[in-house]
Amino acid sequence: MTTCRMLYTRPNTYTHIVDRVLTRGKSHVVPRIMEQTGLDEKAITILFTFTACEDLMVNRELA
């Protein structure tokens, strides 16, 4: 089994990846998007979370 596949198929590891991406990404991405769009933090956080989780799910399915 490849390392990538192991990362995405182990439930505990996958949860850790999702948490880490959301935590680290939110602090960098949300303020920039707010500045560029003028949307509020709550709306951008929802959008960011949806987009990040969607990307991770695609990666998980392709692993």
Side-chain angles (χ1 to χ4, degrees):
M1 184 177 281
T2 66
T3 302
C4 183
R5 183 169 291 163
M6 286 176 18
L7 289 174
Y8 286 108
T9 57
R10 292 184 178 171
N12 291 340
T13 305
Y14 182 72
T15 301
H16 177 73
I17 292 169
V18 170
D19 289 342
R20 185 144 177 141
V21 166
L22 293 178
T23 301
R24 288 181 171 252
K26 181 182 174 188
S27 65
H28 297 290
V29 175
V30 170
R32 273 194 284 169
I33 296 174
M34 286 173 56
E35 186 177 295
Q36 293 173 354
T37 65
L39 295 172
D40 64 25
E41 184 176 359
K42 183 176 180 179
I44 298 299
T45 300
I46 291 168
L47 178 63
F48 170 72
T49 301
F50 175 78
T51 304
C53 288
E54 181 180 37
D55 291 345
L56 290 168
M57 287 299 293
V58 168
N59 288 339
R60 183 177 179 175
E61 293 301 316
L62 294 175

